[in-house]
Amino acid sequence: MTALAIRHAKKPWESFQYSYISVRSEFEPTRFVIEFVAHDERYRVVVTGRNLEKLYNQCIQHRLE
């Protein structure tokens, strides 16, 4: 996969190129944060919910669409 697609219900969908993933991310059982840095812009993607470990691992391994 080359990008992570964020699908919003009422807003335009966004895509973040995995090549811009930051060197630091955070995981908690009910939430995780991944930062993308492109030149001088920073984007924080915050995901909340339950049973997030598999989703988080796929994100940081660049395996999730």
Side-chain angles (χ1 to χ4, degrees):
M1 299 295 163
T2 60
L4 175 67
I6 308 294
R7 297 177 177 152
H8 300 284
K10 296 183 179 183
K11 295 190 282 184
W13 294 1
E14 299 175 276
S15 295
F16 295 92
Q17 297 295 315
Y18 275 122
S19 60
Y20 293 112
I21 198 166
S22 182
V23 296
R24 184 170 186 269
S25 59
E26 301 172 12
F27 176 81
E28 299 173 25
T30 59
R31 149 186 199 275
F32 68 85
V33 179
I34 296 178
E35 289 190 2
F36 292 84
V37 180
H39 308 290
D40 59 345
E41 297 181 89
R42 299 179 76 87
Y43 301 93
R44 287 177 61 95
V45 176
V46 180
V47 179
T48 58
R50 298 183 318 185
N51 304 318
L52 296 174
E53 187 174 354
K54 183 177 179 180
L55 184 66
Y56 173 74
N57 284 331
Q58 288 178 328
C59 284
I60 62 171
Q61 294 171 3
H62 304 188
R63 296 177 51 219
L64 186 70
E65 181 183 344

